[in-house]
C-alpha cells in the first residue's frame, strides 16, 4: 500500500506541475491569439510547428520509451555507472540523429510542405516553407528534450523534468510580450526555438546533479545502440501511425475556409491540456513502475496498479468530457476570446472542442494500456492497434468532413482513438488472461451512467440559470456537474470513489 501511495503522490505532483505548465501554455496561446488572431499566416505558423511530428512522427517518444526500459534495467542489474555510460552513448547518438534529420527537413521543405498542406497556395505556401525550415533546423533540440527527460524520469525525478518544461513557456511568453505586436511569423517561430533552447538548458542543469555522463568510449556504432533501435522500431511504427491522425487533420483542415486550421490547433491545445494533465502525468510515473514489476515477475502488483490506474482516470475524465462538451464555448471565450480572436474564431474553436470531448476517456485507456504492453516488451500489439485506428481516422474524417465540415475532422479523430482503445482492451483479454479487468468494465459502466445523469441535470441547469460571465458560467457548471456526478456514483457503490473519499478522511 505504501508503494501505491507513493505512486499516487508522484503522479499528483507531476499533474500539478503539468497543470501549471499548461496554464502557462494557454497564456502563451492566448497571447499569440490576441496578437495574431486566426488567419492564413497563423495557419502557416501552426502547420510549421507540427511539421517535425509529421515528417518524423514519434521519433523522440519511441526512443525515449526504449531508452527508459534499457536504462532502468542496466542500472538495476549493472549499477548506475554502467547505466550512465549507456545513457551518454545514447545522448551522442540522438544528437547526431537530430542534426541529420533536421537537415533533411530543411532541404526538402519545399517538396514536403505541399504534400502535407495541399490547400496552401501562393504566399501562404511560401511562408509555410520558410517557417518549416526554421522549425526543422531545431529538431535536434526536440530529441534532446525526450532523452534528457527520460534520464530524469527513469531516476524518479519527475518534477525536475516538468520544471524544465515550464521554462519553455515562460521564455516564449516573456519574449513575445517584450517584442509586442506587429512581429512577423518568422520572428514568432524563432521565439519558439529560443524557448526550446531554454528548456534543454534546464534539463541539462537538472541532469548534472543526478547523472554522471562521460565522453569516453561512447561511439554511436555499438551493439547497445543496435539494441536500442531494435526495441524502438516497433514503438516508432506504432506511434507513427497514431501521429498520422494529425497529418490527416491538418491536410483536411487546409482545404477548408481560412482560419479552420488555426481553430483545430487552438481546440487541440485545450484537448491536449486535459490529456497531458490527467493521462500523460500518470502514464509517465506508471511506465517505470510497471516495467520494474514485470521484470521482477510481480504480476499481481502489475495487475493492481494497472486496474486502479484505468478506473481512477476514467472516473475523473468522464465528467470532464461531459462538462467540456456542454461548456465548450465558455471555455474558448475564457482562454482565447480577446484581441484579434473574434466571434467567428470562438465559434469554430468551440465546435471542434465539443467534438473532441469524448476523446479524453478513450485516450486515457489507450495511453495506459500501451505502456502496459511496452512494460512486458510487447510492442507489436500497440503498433497494430494504432495502424487500424489510423485507417479508421482517414476513412471517417474524409467521409465526415463532406457532411459536417470542420466538426467532421474532430469526430473522425475521436472514432480513431475509440477503435484503438477497444482493440487494446481486447488484446489485454486475449494476451494477458492473468489480468482480470472485469471489475474495470463494471466501474466504467457505472461512470458512464453517472455521466448521463450529469448531462441531463446540467442541461436543465444551464437553461434555468444564465450567467453573463463565461468564466463564472463555467465555474458554476463545473461545480454543479461534479456534484451531480459524485451523487450519482455514491448509490452505485463505486469502490474507487469510496476509497478516495476514505483517503481524504484519513488525511
Amino acid at each position: 500500500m505504501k508503494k501505491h501511495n507513493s505512486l499516487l503522490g508522484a503522479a499528483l505532483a507531476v499533474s500539478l506541475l503539468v497543470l501549471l505548465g499548461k496554464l502557462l501554455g494557454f497564456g502563451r496561446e492566448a497571447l499569440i491569439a490576441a496578437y495574431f488572431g486566426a488567419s492564413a499566416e497563423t495557419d502557416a505558423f501552426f502547420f510549421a510547428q507540427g511539421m517535425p511530428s509529421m515528417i518524423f512522427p514519434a521519433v523522440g517518444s519511441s526512443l525515449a520509451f526504449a531508452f527508459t526500459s534499457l536504462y532502468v534495467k542496466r542500472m538495476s542489474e549493472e549499477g548506475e555507472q554502467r547505466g550512465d555510460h549507456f545513457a551518454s552513448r545514447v545522448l551522442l547518438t540522438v544528437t547526431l540523429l537530430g542534426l541529420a534529420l533536421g537537415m533533411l527537413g530543411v532541404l526538402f521543405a519545399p517538396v514536403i510542405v505541399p504534400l502535407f498542406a495541399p490547400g496552401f497556395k501562393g504566399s501562404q505556401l511560401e511562408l509555410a516553407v520558410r517557417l518549416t525550415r526554421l522549425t526543422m533546423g531545431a529538431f535536434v533540440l526536440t530529441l534532446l528534450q525526450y532523452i534528457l527527460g527520460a534520464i530524469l524520469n527513469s531516476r524518479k525525478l519527475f518534477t525536475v523534468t516538468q520544471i524544465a518544461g515550464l521554462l519553455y513557456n515562460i521564455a516564449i511568453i516573456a519574449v513575445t510580450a517584450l517584442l509586442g505586436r506587429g512581429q512577423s511569423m518568422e520572428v514568432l517561430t524563432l521565439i519558439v526555438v529560443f524557448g526550446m533552447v531554454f528548456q534543454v538548458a534546464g534539463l541539462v542543469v537538472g541532469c548534472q546533479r543526478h547523472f554522471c555522463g562521460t565522453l569516453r568510449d561512447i561511439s554511436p556504432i555499438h551493439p547497445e545502440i543496435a539494441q536500442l533501435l531494435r526495441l524502438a522500431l516497433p514503438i516508432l511504427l506504432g506511434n507513427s501511425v497514431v501521429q498520422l491522425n494529425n497529418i490527416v487533420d491538418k491536410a483536411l483542415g487546409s482545404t477548408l475556409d481560412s482560419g479552420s486550421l488555426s481553430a483545430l490547433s487552438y481546440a487541440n491545445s485545450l484537448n491536449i491540456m486535459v490529456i497531458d494533465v490527467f493521462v500523460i502525468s500518470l502514464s509517465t510515473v506508471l511506465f517505470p513502475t510497471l516495467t520494474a514489476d514485470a521484470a521482477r515477475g510481480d504480476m499481481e502488483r502489475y495487475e493492481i496498479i494497472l486496474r486502479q490506474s484505468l478506473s481512477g482516470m476514467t472516473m475523473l475524465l468522464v465528467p470532464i468530457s461531459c462538462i467540456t462538451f456542454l461548456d465548450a464555448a465558455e471555455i474558448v471565450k475564457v482562454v482565447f476570446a480577446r484581441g484579434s480572436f473574434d466571434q467567428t474564431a470562438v465559434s469554430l474553436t468551440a465546435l471542434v472542442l465539443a467534438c473532441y470531448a469524448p476523446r479524453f476517456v478513450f485516450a486515457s485507456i489507450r495511453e495506459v494500456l500501451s505502456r502496459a504492453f511496452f512494460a512486458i516488451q510487447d510492442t507489436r500489439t500497440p503498433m497494430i492497434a494504432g495502424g487500424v485506428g489510423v485507417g479508421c481516422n482517414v476513412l471517417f474524417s474524409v467521409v465526415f468532413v463532406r457532411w459536417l465540415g470542420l466538426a467532421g475532422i474532430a469526430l473522425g479523430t475521436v472514432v480513431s482513438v475509440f477503435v484503438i482503445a477497444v482493440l487494446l482492451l481486447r488484446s489485454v483479454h486475449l494476451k494477458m488472461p492473468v489480468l482480470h479487468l472485469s471489475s474495470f468494465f463494471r466501474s466504467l459502466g457505472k461512470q458512464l451512467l453517472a455521466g448521463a445523469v450529469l448531462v441531463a441535470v446540467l442541461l436543465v441547469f444551464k437553461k434555468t440559470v444564465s450567467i453573463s460571465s463565461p468564466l463564472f458560467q463555467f465555474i458554476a457548471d463545473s461545480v454543479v456537474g461534479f456534484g451531480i456526478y459524485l451523487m450519482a456514483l455514491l448509490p452505485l457503490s463505486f469502490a474507487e470513489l469510496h476509497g478516495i473519499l476514505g483517503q481524504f478522511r484519513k488525511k
Side-chain angles (χ1 to χ4, degrees), residues 157-232:
L157 300 170
F158 306 108
T159 57
V160 178
T161 306
Q162 298 304 322
I163 290 173
L166 298 179
L167 299 177
Y168 170 78
N169 288 317
I170 292 173
I172 293 176
I173 292 173
V175 177
T176 303
L178 180 64
L179 295 180
R181 299 173 182 270
Q183 302 302 320
S184 66
M185 290 296 106
E186 287 87 351
V187 171
L188 183 59
T189 302
L190 289 175
I191 293 173
V192 174
V193 172
F194 172 74
M196 297 170 65
V197 173
F198 218 52
Q199 181 178 1
V200 170
L203 290 170
V204 170
V205 171
C207 285
Q208 284 181 340
R209 297 184 57 186
H210 308 282
F211 166 67
C212 298
T214 179
L215 296 177
R216 296 180 56 187
D217 187 27
I218 57 171
S219 170
I221 304 176
H222 192 275
E224 289 182 339
I225 300 301
Q227 183 184 15
L228 174 72
L229 296 178
R230 283 195 301 270
L231 186 60

Side-chain angles (χ1 to χ4, degrees), residues 193-321:
V193 172
F194 172 74
M196 297 170 65
V197 173
F198 218 52
Q199 181 178 1
V200 170
L203 290 170
V204 170
V205 171
C207 285
Q208 284 181 340
R209 297 184 57 186
H210 308 282
F211 166 67
C212 298
T214 179
L215 296 177
R216 296 180 56 187
D217 187 27
I218 57 171
S219 170
I221 304 176
H222 192 275
E224 289 182 339
I225 300 301
Q227 183 184 15
L228 174 72
L229 296 178
R230 283 195 301 270
L231 186 60
L233 182 59
I235 304 175
L236 173 62
L237 294 175
N239 288 346
S240 295
V241 293
V242 173
Q243 291 293 332
L244 287 175
N245 288 340
N246 295 328
I247 298 177
V248 174
D249 289 354
K250 290 180 183 296
L252 292 174
S254 68
T255 64
L256 299 176
D257 295 337
S258 178
S260 296
L261 200 58
S262 296
L264 278 172
S265 180
Y266 289 130
N268 195 52
S269 297
L270 294 164
N271 173 66
I272 293 299
M273 174 187 177
V274 175
I275 293 175
D276 282 355
V277 171
F278 298 109
V279 179
I280 302 302
S281 297
L282 177 61
S283 300
T284 299
V285 177
L286 188 64
F287 182 50
T289 302
L290 289 178
T291 302
D293 290 340
R296 292 194 304 267
D298 190 355
M299 298 306 293
E300 180 179 358
R301 183 169 182 263
Y302 177 100
E303 177 191 0
I304 292 173
I305 292 177
L306 178 59
R307 188 174 62 249
Q308 289 180 343
S309 299
L310 284 170
S311 296
M313 277 201 298
T314 55
M315 181 183 68
L316 185 61
L317 290 171
V318 165
I320 290 177
S321 295

Side-chain angles (χ1 to χ4, degrees), residues 86 97 178 257 289 331 335 381-382:
F86 166 70
L97 178 64
L178 180 64
D257 295 337
T289 302
I331 295 171
V335 178
T381 298

Side-chain angles (χ1 to χ4, degrees), residues 256 395-409 411:
L256 299 176
L395 174 62
F396 286 101
S397 292
V398 171
V399 172
F400 289 165
V401 76
R402 294 177 180 269
W403 298 337
L404 304 173
L406 191 59
I409 298 176
L411 290 176

Side-chain angles (χ1 to χ4, degrees), residues 72-196:
V72 169
K73 183 178 180 180
R74 274 171 171 74
M75 287 195 299
S76 176
E77 296 179 352
E78 304 175 31
E80 291 190 4
Q81 184 176 2
R82 182 69 185 86
D84 287 347
H85 190 273
F86 166 70
S88 300
R89 191 188 307 279
V90 172
L91 280 171
L92 174 62
T93 303
V94 163
T95 300
L96 297 176
L97 178 64
L99 291 172
L101 294 180
M103 184 59 65
L104 289 175
V106 171
L107 292 176
F108 291 100
V111 177
I112 297 172
V113 170
L115 294 177
F116 289 114
F120 286 2
K121 305 295 181 183
S123 60
Q124 186 183 32
L125 177 61
E126 294 175 0
L127 176 62
V129 170
R130 293 197 301 273
L131 300 183
T132 296
R133 282 178 159 165
L134 291 174
T135 302
M136 290 306 306
F139 184 64
V140 63
L141 298 175
T142 300
L143 293 189
L144 286 175
Q145 288 171 9
Y146 276 104
I147 300 303
L148 291 170
I151 291 174
L152 293 169
N153 289 338
S154 297
R155 291 175 168 272
K156 306 293 182 68
L157 300 170
F158 306 108
T159 57
V160 178
T161 306
Q162 298 304 322
I163 290 173
L166 298 179
L167 299 177
Y168 170 78
N169 288 317
I170 292 173
I172 293 176
I173 292 173
V175 177
T176 303
L178 180 64
L179 295 180
R181 299 173 182 270
Q183 302 302 320
S184 66
M185 290 296 106
E186 287 87 351
V187 171
L188 183 59
T189 302
L190 289 175
I191 293 173
V192 174
V193 172
F194 172 74
M196 297 170 65

